[in-house]
Amino acid sequence: MSKPIVAIVGRPNVGKSTLFNVLAGSRISIVQDTPGVTRDRIYADVSWTDQEFTIIDTGGIEPDSQDIILSQMREQAQIAIDTADVILMLTDVRQGLVDADDKVADMLRRSRKPVVLVVNKVDNFEKFMMDVYEFYNLGLGEPMPISAASRLGIGDLLDQVIGLFADRSQDEAEDERPKIAIIGKPNTGKSSLVNRLCGKDRVIVSDIAGTTRDAIDTPVRHNGQEYVLIDTAGIRRKSKVKGEIERYSIIRAVTAVERADVVILMIDATEGVTEQDAKIAGIAHDRGKGVMIAVNKWDLVEKDDKTIYRQSERIREVLRFMSYAEILFISAKTGQRLHKLFDVIDMVIQNHSMRVATGVLNEIMTEAVAMQQPPYDKGKRLRLYYITQVSVKPPTFVIFVNYKQLMHFSYLRYIENRIREAFGFRGTPLRFIIRERRESGK
């Protein structure tokens, strides 16, 4: 089951980033250190009382003028409405209730999404509680007083947030159809691919306030199997600010990937693979999803007998952290190679759920160790005792060793490659957990 999405919305200087960092805690460094993932603090995984969820900082509002602030807040709120399971509307007790708060609150009320009204900078509850009551006028229920900077009221806020997740798990468990997220930069052909696979034009995302995230889900049937395509076309932004467009495309990708079984990364063949593609791809890799890369608009590329090879090599170079991903060169416009798409999707789904017997795994590991000796440092040699698979989606393995610190990244990659040679696992990342087990008397 995917993790719920919680989005933070609010005016400039109400403390969105501070609250985000407090909720993210040390986990934000994990997001930042993942290859290919954007360095911007846009999203992070959070755990509270054994409930995991993803927090998103919609951010991005620049205080140029009141009109621009209100326009951008509405757009920010629409992003949250379309993507989040729960929305945190952050306000500032010291600035008080302003017109922009009221207009965005109206959008959130109409969305029928769960909203928690948060009043920030309440450093002294006795002093500020009368001012907090003013925010009842927004019609979003009881305002929640907190101080993100002082970490006051954060536990009560999180309790309220996870209480709103309850109805979601049952609905999601009933739908066992494979979910395919189509992610990528704007204008790579994501919606065109969905429309082509559906066999008809379909409005994937509405610009009308209140449109839910479900509006971008499209059921498709192929060879008797029904799939759900999740298009991340997103809101059509009028702004030409590149950083803002990238930020919102990443938010869309995070929310879609979280719900997906398999991710299709769309790349524009006429532009080639870019650093932004790597950032978006890193989201799927970071979350352990099955991945295929669809290089679209292949009909527009002038080709010779080496073109596919050169493009593939370049993609492998830029997306080197996901060398396992399958690459397919397609044209959503002409239908070129689209007949192969579901074959690859089915293969990735199967590999993402593959289990390998413990005995076979240990035979492969023993043979790998015999062929290449483990690292040796300061009189100590790494010994690999035992390997077993503990979960799927993605396939996850535990290796027991004598000295955990001696398991260098390069040797772990060597073990992974031996496992892939034996079983393929095409299209899926593999996860490894290293556990230390000392021999008796040592």
Side-chain angles (χ1 to χ4, degrees), residues 8 10 54 57 73 84 96 104 115 123 134 193 247 260 353 379 396 421:
I8 303 174
T54 298
D57 179 10
M73 276 195 72
V104 172
V115 179
D123 301 311
E134 176 188 14
L193 177 61
R247 184 185 189 91
S353 302
T396 303
E421 285 176 8

Side-chain angles (χ1 to χ4, degrees), residues 7-24:
I8 303 174
V9 174
R11 291 184 287 110
N13 303 317
V14 295
K16 295 190 299 295
S17 294
T18 303
L19 177 60
F20 176 83
N21 289 333
V22 167
L23 296 180

Side-chain angles (χ1 to χ4, degrees), residues 34-37 277-286 316-324 413 429:
T34 300
V37 176
D277 292 319
K279 291 178 180 180
I280 295 173
I283 296 166
H285 175 77
D286 187 48
R316 295 296 185 204
E317 179 185 347
V318 176
L319 306 182
R320 55 188 176 276
F321 56 91
M322 54 164 51
S323 57
Y324 53 84
R413 176 58 58 88

